[in-house]
């Protein structure tokens, strides 16, 4: 029996792409892991590369923001 490919979802809202400097959200550990696997830990928004940053808040919840990469 063949293995099925795992689909990874990006749980970042459109606000992360439209206003990356001010965007923030909370994600569960599972949603964060899926987002990081789907995006390789960075996104392209407003013509720049942004790294996804997460801070654990406890109970499997993380605060997610973006940090602009230096060129």
């Amino acid at each position: 029996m063949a293995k099925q490919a795992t689909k990874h979802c990006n749980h970042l809202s459109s606000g992360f792409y439209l206003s990356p400097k001010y965007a923030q959200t909370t994600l569960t550990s599972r949603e964060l892991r899926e987002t990081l696997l789907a995006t390789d830990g960075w996104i392209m928004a407003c013509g720049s590369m942004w790294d996804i940053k997460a801070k654990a808040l406890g109970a499997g919840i993380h605060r997610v923001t973006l940090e602009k990469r230096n060129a």
Side-chain angles (χ1 to χ4, degrees), residues 34-64:
E34 289 175 353
T35 299
L36 292 174
L37 288 170
T39 62
D40 290 329
W42 66 276
I43 65 169
M44 192 74 160
C46 297
S48 298
M49 293 175 71
W50 297 80
D51 289 318
I52 298 171
K53 299 293 179 180
K55 179 180 179 183
L57 299 176
I61 304 296
H62 302 269
R63 180 174 178 237
V64 179

Side-chain angles (χ1 to χ4, degrees), residues 8-42:
H8 301 292
C9 298
N10 180 353
H11 294 278
L12 298 179
S13 67
S14 60
F16 279 83
Y17 296 91
L18 298 173
S19 184
K21 185 175 181 180
Y22 304 106
Q24 63 179 356
T25 192
T26 54
L27 298 176
T28 64
S29 295
R30 180 181 177 192
E31 292 170 334
L32 177 60
R33 183 174 48 252
E34 289 175 353
T35 299
L36 292 174
L37 288 170
T39 62
D40 290 329
W42 66 276

